[in-house]
Amino acid sequence: MSTNSALMKKNNRFLLLQRIREGEISRAELARKTGLSRASVTLITDELIREGLVIEGESLKTANGRRPTLLRLCKDAFHAIGLDFCRDGIYVCVTDFTMQPILCDFIPKDTEIEDALCKIEGIAKRAQLRNRILGVGISAPGPLDVPSQRILTPSEMERWHGFSMQTIAARLGLPICLEKDTNALAIAEKYALRETRDFLVLLADHGLGSALIHKGRIFASAGGFGCELGHTVIAPGGPLCSCGRRGCAELSVSIPTFLKKAACEGCNKSWEALTDDALAENADCVRLLSDYADILGEVCLNAVNLFEPAQIVLEGRLSYAHPFLAPRIEKKLHTQAFTESGRRVRVVQSLLPPPARAIAAASLVLERYFMGEE
């Protein structure tokens, strides 16, 4: 087989796998969506079935009596390991080929580095005994040096500052990929949402993380940065941010900062309790969380005017408060967005099950596989 022919077959193979990954689909529909001939689709999908990557499911009833068979991924074909390095510790998750979690664990933040690495190694070995592991995906809050796969200086994670993830690759004997936590979440949400190829992810905790999926791909600049909404100024002359500017958005929507402000006003509650009480129409909690929603809505409005996403996905602790936050943010967008499409943006809740960020980390490995990358 010529080099060009082999490359074309490889590209077509992964094109079909990407479509099957999006949901059960017939061979005829695959041909229609990809533009490949039915003969090529049949040839490649039969090969994928023989290799155990794809299985045949139920047959569809049609008006003319034909019953096309639906194809879907074989969940046990391959597995991936996800590690989410965060301020609480390390969440570990092994997922199947369809991104469903099958094994989860947690390593507390006060665990010594060597002990943490030994525990990760033990979990990986257990997973490798039963499954074919494609690799290890790792997510962490920024700043990161993704090309050299190194954690730089995220706040409250001093123990891991400067740590090279190549250490984990060497110990596990598996390929790794490191990505910012919000980018990993955005990549995973593509296959959880399945409704749109253009959306924005927001993750608030000690700061504000954001990531943009545009036309099905993660948006990133030539320098590796993407949609850094946390460092857009919304309060000129405000508090000094770690980036050196004043009034950055993440200072206003940081959840610990918000809770301290609420405590100073006599509402000493956790984020979850305050949200629950706001939904139960406690007047003080409604007022406080409404103010928060207004600030976050301004961030969303700026993002919508810049990028025109079809949806905004609230992740992490924002997802918990979605029932309260979403209608208030949508009201602002639907009345103040610059474009008609901006006035139709929906604010939705993350569909990823816990531990969402560890699952998202594993999805980095799966994404590389389905894109045909080594």
Side-chain angles (χ1 to χ4, degrees), residues 331-343:
K331 182 178 180 181
K332 181 182 288 286
L333 298 178
H334 297 172
T335 56
Q336 299 179 35
F338 182 70
T339 64
E340 183 63 33
S341 62
R343 292 190 284 273

Side-chain angles (χ1 to χ4, degrees), residues 22 90 103 142 173 220 252 258 288 322 336:
E22 292 170 357
I90 306 170
L103 172 64
S252 298
F258 166 73
L288 288 165
H322 173 269
Q336 299 179 35

Side-chain angles (χ1 to χ4, degrees), residues 112-283:
E112 293 297 328
I113 288 181
E114 179 58 28
D115 292 339
L117 295 177
C118 286
K119 187 161 187 178
I120 290 169
E121 195 172 356
I123 294 168
K125 286 181 177 178
R126 281 162 52 199
Q128 286 174 298
L129 286 174
R130 298 184 178 182
N131 312 300
R132 293 192 292 174
I133 305 295
L134 286 170
V136 183
I138 304 170
S139 67
L144 309 174
D145 184 347
V146 172
S148 69
Q149 299 182 320
R150 186 182 299 273
I151 291 180
L152 294 180
T153 57
S155 64
E156 299 186 37
M157 292 180 62
E158 286 75 14
R159 179 172 295 178
W160 296 100
H161 285 184
F163 183 80
S164 172
M165 294 301 169
Q166 292 293 350
T167 305
I168 293 176
R171 292 183 71 137
L172 302 188
L174 290 167
I176 65 165
C177 51
L178 172 67
E179 187 55 87
K180 189 177 72 168
D181 50 7
T182 46
N183 283 356
L185 284 165
I187 289 167
E189 289 288 2
K190 282 198 304 179
Y191 300 98
L193 294 170
R194 293 182 181 172
E195 296 177 13
T196 178
R197 290 165 57 81
D198 294 271
F199 62 89
L200 176 75
V201 157
L202 290 180
L203 176 70
D205 193 0
H206 287 71
L208 176 66
S210 55
L212 180 70
I213 294 288
H214 178 62
K215 295 183 178 179
R217 295 274 191 162
I218 194 76
F219 171 81
S221 67
F225 290 93
C227 179
E228 294 288 345
L229 292 176
H231 294 288
T232 56
V233 173
I234 62 169
L240 181 66
C241 180
S242 60
C243 73
R245 304 177 76 198
R246 291 189 175 274
C248 285
E250 72 169 32
L251 298 177
S252 298
V253 298
S254 157
I255 289 179
T257 300
F258 166 73
L259 293 177
K260 285 180 184 177
K261 177 176 178 286
C264 289
E265 296 186 28
C267 184
N268 193 8
K269 300 175 185 286
S270 68
W271 172 261
E272 291 74 17
L274 194 152
T275 298
D276 291 343
D277 288 350
L279 289 169
E281 299 186 358
N282 174 288

